[in-house]
Amino acid sequence: MESESTVTTCYRHPRVECHVRCTRCDRYICPDCMREAAVGHQCPECVREGARSVRQARTAFGGRVASAPTVTYVLIALNVLAYLGETVRPSIVDRFDMLGTVPAGYLPEGVAHGEWYRLLTGAFLHLPPTDGTFGILHIVMNMVSLWNIGRVVEMQLGRVRYLALYLLSALGGSVLVLLIAPTTPTLGASGAIFGLGAAYYVMARRLGADMDAVNRFMAGLLLWLVISAWITSWQGHLGGLLAGGVVTLAYAYAPRDSRRTLVQVGACLALLALLVILAMAKVAELTI
């Protein structure tokens, strides 16, 4: 007959006597292994297993809910750092701005001559401070716009979807510049920001927001698109607007089931493929 005074010990610390069991797996646990639970205590393994099984909250568009718009902060920091860099070394602008090609008679440079990185690096540069008053205003206006719009869009989409939207919008703006004005050097985050503006509009319609305020916002955005035809690159703005709209339509109207992520990723990859094909076709035309 087994003695009633049998000593019970912790399953993780066999030398420690204990009398409390994990409410989930029923193993004995010592005070060092006890984790507070809704009822009683649990062991560390059961706590970790329970945390893995908890379903993470998602936004209306399938992204993970974030506590802060971290990607927007990082993008602003990258733009500011690039601006400080070009202030110290102005040659950075000519080396990394968006340029398709140069007229005949000049040294070959630009996307058509293998500098494909310009399709994205130009979106992180701005007019240098030596370029009159608008040089400073260029980055200030873009970063204020990114701060105001980017935070809202990121919190609705989640970090991964938001970053994909931003980069595809920037790429869309650069590709339209390449197609229409390949010999015009352009730079600035405006194309990507126009893409965020399109996303803001599409999301507001999908969520049933007050469209009066949203329509006023879009009217201002389109007015700036028209004005930019005389001031800066309207091609980059329009390309970013179209790319951002396409991506967000896929985000907003993908089926809300297990296929949603697949449809959203597929739409982004399809747009990326289209932009690459258009860019390659134009480069082939420029290098004939």
Side-chain angles (χ1 to χ4, degrees):
M1 187 173 178
E2 189 177 64
S3 172
E4 294 183 0
S5 62
T6 300
V7 175
T8 55
T9 60
C10 175
Y11 81 101
R12 297 179 72 221
H13 304 100
R15 296 184 178 181
V16 179
E17 180 180 355
C18 56
H19 305 282
V20 176
R21 295 174 184 263
C22 170
T23 56
R24 188 166 181 174
C25 67
D26 208 36
R27 291 179 293 190
Y28 284 102
I29 48 179
C30 67
D32 289 340
C33 297
M34 292 179 187
R35 303 292 184 268
E36 291 286 345
V39 177
H41 298 82
Q42 292 183 4
C43 65
E45 282 80 359
C46 288
V47 170
R48 285 195 291 270
E49 183 180 346
R52 286 195 298 268
S53 64
V54 174
R55 185 177 180 180
Q56 292 191 337
R58 296 278 176 175
T59 70
F61 304 97
R64 291 185 178 182
V65 174
S67 58
T70 306
V71 177
T72 298
Y73 297 153
V74 171
L75 290 172
I76 291 174
L78 289 175
N79 278 275
V80 172
L81 286 174
Y83 193 72
L84 293 175
E86 66 186 65
T87 301
V88 175
R89 189 181 291 272
S91 60
I92 290 177
V93 174
D94 293 331
R95 186 70 182 84
F96 293 99
D97 62 1
M98 171 53 208
L99 177 66
T101 188
V102 292
Y106 292 87
L107 291 176
E109 63 175 326
V111 176
H113 302 283
E115 297 172 348
W116 293 93
Y117 53 83
R118 289 179 180 264
L119 290 170
L120 280 180
T121 55
F124 291 90
L125 300 174
H126 291 82
L127 292 174
T130 54
D131 198 315
T133 304
F134 194 69
I136 297 293
L137 286 178
H138 191 207
I139 186 169
V140 171
M141 291 172 60
N142 277 347
M143 292 305 99
V144 169
S145 298
L146 179 55
W147 171 264
N148 289 328
I149 304 173
R151 290 180 301 161
V152 176
V153 175
E154 181 179 353
M155 298 304 284
Q156 287 291 342
L157 293 182
R159 293 170 182 167
V160 175
R161 288 167 175 79
Y162 172 74
L163 181 59
L165 166 69
Y166 187 93
L167 294 177
L168 284 171
S169 298
L171 183 61
S174 294
V175 169
L176 195 59
V177 170
L178 176 65
L179 295 176
I180 299 177
T183 60
T184 303
T186 60
L187 69 173
S190 303
I193 293 171
F194 266 76
L196 299 184
Y200 178 74
Y201 178 79
V202 172
M203 292 190 307
R205 290 191 65 88
R206 187 71 176 95
L207 296 173
D210 177 13
M211 294 307 297
D212 289 338
V214 176
N215 288 334
R216 287 194 296 271
F217 165 78
M218 284 304 297
L221 197 67
L222 295 176
L223 177 62
W224 175 242
L225 178 62
V226 174
I227 295 174
S228 68
W230 288 274
I231 299 177
T232 182
S233 171
W234 65 268
Q235 299 94 341
H237 295 177
L238 180 60
L241 185 75
L242 294 175
V246 168
V247 171
T248 314
L249 283 171
Y251 287 166
Y253 293 97
R256 297 192 175 188
D257 53 29
S258 58
R259 298 171 297 167
R260 176 161 63 178
T261 300
L262 182 62
V263 170
Q264 293 172 340
V265 172
C268 290
L269 292 177
L271 177 60
L272 176 61
L274 175 61
L275 293 175
V276 170
I277 291 171
L278 290 173
M280 292 179 68
K282 185 63 178 181
V283 165
E285 176 188 324
L286 293 171
T287 52
I288 290 177

